[in-house]
Amino acid sequence: MGNKNIGISVVCPTYNSEVYIEKTLGSLLSQNDNPDEIIFSDDGSVDDTISILKKYKYHFEKKGVSVKIIINSHTGPGAARNKGIDKSSYPWIAFLDSDDIWYNNKIFVVKKNILENPSLNCFLHWENFIKINGEKVELRHGEFLSKSNYSVQKQLYKANYFSTSALVCKKSLIEESGGFDISLPNAQDYDLWLKMAPKIKLLIIKEFLGEYVQQKNSISVRPYVQRIFSELRLAIRHRKKGSVYLFYYKLFR
């Protein structure tokens, strides 16, 4: 699908990812419809991550895929993603965390859906969650949504059902929303989705197209209190996007 209008730039932030990055790179190399561009934005790695990326750059370019490697100081994944978005060349952004996996039909299926739904600006697919102990859990993002009472904004405010490595959206949507807020200690992705929410025109692709792989330093295994504090901060910041009931629900649940 060589249509420039559905060109996809993959933005992959890396940080000391040498242990697992090759599985992620392998999943990108095995795509049966290549991404148009891959941008690796490194967040100040001190291990062998950059050397591995440079080694794989040749293999991607051999397949006709443009690769950019950006080396940054250590300021966090949001800043690294912002740099990658800024350097991207195509109208669509697909995020891929350096420990996650895409199945080989991911790009093909997403581009097909973009072509079939030209009025939409955001696509979210299902994925499998691989726990540290190897257990696999199906993540059917957005399955609970009611078409008769559907509001991306209110549903997102109630709970974050977006997953970074399962989301593809228009670059302009991200830019108009101000990108990732690097002043937040975590939940930078959830904050961006909430900022984008009023303009999101979403399609949920009900296919499992990747794996979200839990690592020891994943947000999902960080201290409970830290995650709750971030949730409360965002509940207050974005309270106008939900009802009074939802605001108090988030504060006291």
Side-chain angles (χ1 to χ4, degrees), residues 12-203:
C12 180
T14 59
Y15 177 66
N16 291 345
S17 308
E18 65 176 8
V19 173
Y20 41 76
I21 186 70
E22 292 197 68
K23 288 185 178 179
T24 303
L25 295 171
S27 79
L28 279 171
L29 274 173
S30 67
Q31 292 296 305
N32 52 31
D33 189 359
N34 292 324
D36 300 274
E37 173 183 59
I38 304 173
I39 302 168
F40 298 105
S41 186
D42 187 74
D43 187 38
S45 292
V46 293
D47 64 357
D48 205 31
T49 298
I50 297 298
S51 297
I52 294 171
L53 293 177
K54 288 179 177 178
K55 180 179 72 174
Y56 273 82
K57 187 174 187 286
Y58 165 79
H59 297 293
F60 284 113
E61 291 178 340
K62 194 174 179 181
K63 294 185 68 177
V65 179
S66 171
V67 173
K68 297 174 184 174
I69 301 173
I70 306 169
I71 300 175
N72 309 291
S73 57
H74 182 46
T75 49
R81 291 187 184 109
N82 284 340
K83 292 282 182 66
I85 293 163
D86 183 59
K87 297 294 183 182
S88 64
S89 306
Y90 291 90
W92 292 90
I93 300 292
F95 295 107
L96 177 61
D97 287 349
S98 61
D99 52 356
D100 292 339
I101 300 295
W102 283 350
Y103 299 150
N104 61 9
N105 60 336
K106 154 79 179 240
I107 294 294
F108 175 81
V109 172
V110 169
K111 284 191 173 184
K112 179 175 179 290
N113 277 275
I114 292 173
L115 276 173
E116 292 173 352
N117 300 275
S119 65
L120 304 185
N121 59 13
C122 195
F123 296 82
L124 178 71
H125 63 76
W126 291 350
E127 59 186 349
N128 288 306
F129 175 38
I130 310 300
K131 295 185 176 183
I132 292 175
N133 62 8
E135 180 186 353
K136 183 170 75 171
V137 178
E138 292 184 347
L139 298 179
R140 298 173 180 262
H141 303 302
E143 185 182 36
F144 61 88
L145 296 176
S146 168
K147 290 185 178 179
S148 61
N149 187 28
Y150 183 78
S151 167
V152 171
Q153 184 166 280
K154 286 186 178 180
Q155 294 283 5
L156 260 179
Y157 183 75
K158 183 177 181 181
N160 181 17
Y161 60 94
F162 280 14
S163 175
T164 309
S165 294
L167 188 73
V168 180
C169 62
K170 277 284 187 74
K171 177 181 177 179
S172 58
L173 182 62
I174 301 170
E175 292 176 328
E176 290 165 6
S177 302
F180 293 90
D181 183 353
I182 64 173
S183 71
L184 293 171
N186 53 23
Q188 295 173 354
D189 53 349
Y190 188 21
D191 176 66
L192 177 57
W193 314 149
L194 286 167
K195 289 190 294 185
M196 287 166 35
K199 296 182 179 179
I200 285 177
K201 298 176 182 177
L202 175 69
L203 175 71

